[in-house]
Amino acid sequence: MHILHLIKTSEGATWAVNLMRAVREKYPDVRWSVIVPKGGKHFGEYQEICDNVIDFDYSIGTDLLSKGKIFKGIIKDLNPDIIQSWFTQTTLYMRLFLRDFNRPKVFEVVGPAHLEILAFKFGDIWSSSKNDYWITTSKYIYDHYKNGKVPEDRLFLNYAFIDTEKFLSEASLVRQRDLRSEFNIPANYKIIGTASYIYPPKFFQKTGIKGHEILLEAFKVLLAKRNDIVLIIAGGTFGGNVSYEKILKEKAMKISKERIFFTGSYIHVNEVISNYDVFVYLSKSENLGGVYESLLLEIPTVSSDRGALPELVINNYTGYNVSLTNPSVIAKKIELLLSRTNTFSLSGKTKVQAIFDKEEIIDKTYLIYKDLIKRHP
């Protein structure tokens, strides 16, 4: 079987290239082709595992129609059994220019952001044809499409490919930063921390995507109760504009000049979160990312209740998930994890390992392909 992947960037989408490699190793009858912009850290990997690697820029501008004609010609020449798109932008090309292509076209949805805006969700569903399907990577995303009246025979649930064994192996080899020494934190102090890119607010929002302002407000509440805590915000700004990061640092200085620290960027998340007593992740829009690392490393975790995060951070079982509307409640949940022994850590690790069972994900991917080809002989 010949599967063509549409990838917007060869710099990211690590889960896509890892899945492609793993499926081909287990099922050698699968052939891959990919249309992806040239360059980026994964471009060489695509060349190793794919029969065809076609350089193409999916940007949208005044030349969209002419680029669409080229795109359609590439598809005709490759003649795949299935087309699999991984981004809303690549899906737009697929939906606009391949409506008459009588083969299965699959959108693997790894993030819910476009589904949380009614116009984009409607556009996604409305633009589909009888040959369009979705692979959803959480129950949250699956339910979005189901509630949008997408027939369940056009929906599949298969989690994103994350190799938990490899992650734990790599984490054990990481040179961990000693944040207590780096920031002169007393040995008896508890470290509350987060780790992610620092994303500025979207144009229609007042606070950043990862909820850093909300975390600062919750920490302010905690500081009024206890004098043995610090907050560490790990990660650098996504992109080159650091003006939002400067605003966060100014806000932090007003709360405390001696109890809040910014680490800057890191290469592996375990460099920093290995220091934490409690990990806090208050993202405003999320699938299952952001918290699986802390849960795998058995770090007590508080997350927002947004998106698919409650599928991993389950109240009173693997940690606490919280509403973003009340910093006092967030502070209370953090303090609960600081102040008592709990069994959440082992439960969290077990839950992540069960969700991201790589053999099950590989097998289900192959079975989805077989099913779609059977439906479209």
Side-chain angles (χ1 to χ4, degrees):
M1 66 177 74
H2 180 198
I3 316 299
L4 169 63
H5 288 264
L6 310 180
I7 307 284
K8 185 179 74 170
T9 172
S10 53
E11 186 62 35
T14 306
W15 18 261
V17 71
N18 285 346
L19 176 65
M20 291 164 69
R21 181 185 294 106
V23 170
R24 189 158 193 177
E25 286 176 358
K26 189 167 186 177
Y27 296 103
D29 60 316
V30 177
R31 295 170 48 230
W32 302 124
S33 291
V34 63
I35 303 176
V36 62
K38 190 176 182 178
K41 65 181 181 182
H42 295 306
F43 194 78
E45 295 177 72
Y46 288 122
Q47 291 177 313
E48 290 174 12
I49 63 178
C50 296
D51 292 2
N52 305 284
V53 180
I54 312 297
D55 175 23
F56 186 81
D57 176 14
Y58 292 96
S59 61
I60 298 171
T62 56
D63 58 348
L64 178 63
L65 292 180
S66 60
K67 288 175 67 175
K69 187 176 180 180
I70 295 169
F71 175 75
K72 190 172 183 178
I74 295 170
I75 304 294
K76 184 178 179 181
D77 290 341
L78 292 174
N79 194 30
D81 297 308
I82 296 171
I83 301 173
Q84 183 168 354
S85 171
W86 291 83
F87 297 85
T88 53
Q89 201 161 318
T90 54
T91 301
L92 177 63
Y93 269 82
M94 183 173 71
R95 299 275 176 81
L96 280 175
F97 302 111
L98 302 179
R99 293 194 72 80
D100 58 349
F101 190 76
N102 193 27
R103 305 286 170 81
K105 301 188 292 291
V106 183
F107 180 14
E108 180 143 356
V109 187
V110 294
H114 77 283
L115 295 170
E116 295 167 341
I117 301 172
L118 189 59
F120 291 135
K121 178 180 178 179
F122 174 78
D124 178 4
I125 297 171
W126 174 82
S127 65
S128 65
S129 66
K130 64 179 181 179
N131 297 326
D132 283 297
Y133 300 85
W134 291 264
I135 296 175
T136 65
T137 53
S138 65
K139 292 177 182 176
Y140 173 75
I141 292 174
Y142 186 96
D143 289 341
H144 255 291
Y145 284 107
K146 184 179 175 182
N147 295 337
K149 309 301 180 185
V150 174
E152 289 192 71
D153 63 353
R154 292 169 64 188
L155 293 173
F156 301 95
L157 174 60
N158 194 24
Y159 293 100
F161 185 79
I162 294 171
D163 189 333
T164 58
E165 294 174 11
K166 183 179 179 182
F167 173 83
L168 288 171
S169 176
E170 290 175 348
S172 68
L173 301 174
V174 167
R175 184 178 179 276
Q176 300 170 1
R177 290 168 64 174
D178 184 354
L179 298 183
R180 288 190 182 275
S181 295
E182 194 172 325
F183 296 111
N184 197 27
I185 301 170
N188 64 313
Y189 278 30
K190 299 291 186 179
I191 298 178
I192 301 159
T194 192
S196 68
Y197 276 119
I198 296 176
Y199 286 96
K202 294 183 179 180
F203 67 94
F204 53 86
Q205 296 179 332
K206 295 182 179 180
T207 56
I209 296 171
K210 298 302 180 182
H212 286 97
E213 295 94 341
I214 303 164
L215 175 56
L216 288 171
E217 288 299 322
F219 184 69
K220 183 178 179 181
V221 173
L222 277 170
L223 271 181
K225 297 180 178 180
R226 9 185 346 158
N227 59 5
D228 63 342
I229 55 173
V230 298
L231 173 64
I232 291 182
I233 296 176
T237 290
F238 184 83
N241 187 350
V242 297
S243 57
Y244 169 65
E245 184 176 341
K246 289 180 179 178
I247 292 171
L248 282 180
K249 289 179 177 179
E250 289 170 2
K251 183 177 179 66
M253 288 284 285
K254 290 178 180 178
I255 294 171
S256 174
K257 295 180 180 180
E258 300 173 347
R259 301 295 185 89
I260 304 173
F261 307 101
F262 289 76
T263 70
S265 300
Y266 51 84
I267 297 173
H268 192 288
V269 69
N270 200 36
E271 290 174 36
V272 288
I273 69 173
S274 56
N275 294 267
Y276 296 173
D277 294 293
V278 173
F279 179 80
V280 186
Y281 189 70
L282 302 180
S283 181
K284 294 158 67 176
S285 177
E286 197 70 48
N287 194 21
L288 290 168
V291 295
Y292 76 84
E293 298 99 331
S294 63
L295 294 175
L296 274 176
L297 295 169
E298 301 184 48
I299 301 170
T301 299
V302 175
S303 83
S304 69
D305 60 359
R306 300 292 181 89
L309 291 174
E311 294 176 37
L312 286 181
V313 184
I314 302 166
N315 273 322
N316 294 305
Y317 178 57
T318 65
Y320 294 114
N321 66 72
V322 293
S323 168
L324 297 180
T325 59
N326 192 331
S328 295
V329 173
I330 298 170
K332 181 178 179 181
K333 297 301 183 184
I334 295 170
E335 190 168 27
L336 281 173
L337 291 181
L338 287 173
S339 303
R340 70 182 191 190
T341 303
N342 64 78
T343 59
F344 297 165
S345 297
L346 183 57
S347 299
K349 181 178 181 179
T350 303
K351 181 67 176 178
V352 172
Q353 290 172 323
I355 288 282
F356 297 114
D357 183 324
K358 68 176 183 178
E359 294 303 321
E360 184 177 331
I361 293 167
I362 291 166
D363 291 341
K364 194 162 187 180
T365 299
Y366 184 74
L367 290 174
I368 290 170
Y369 292 158
K370 296 281 281 187
D371 182 15
L372 290 174
I373 289 174
K374 186 177 179 181
R375 297 190 202 187
H376 297 264

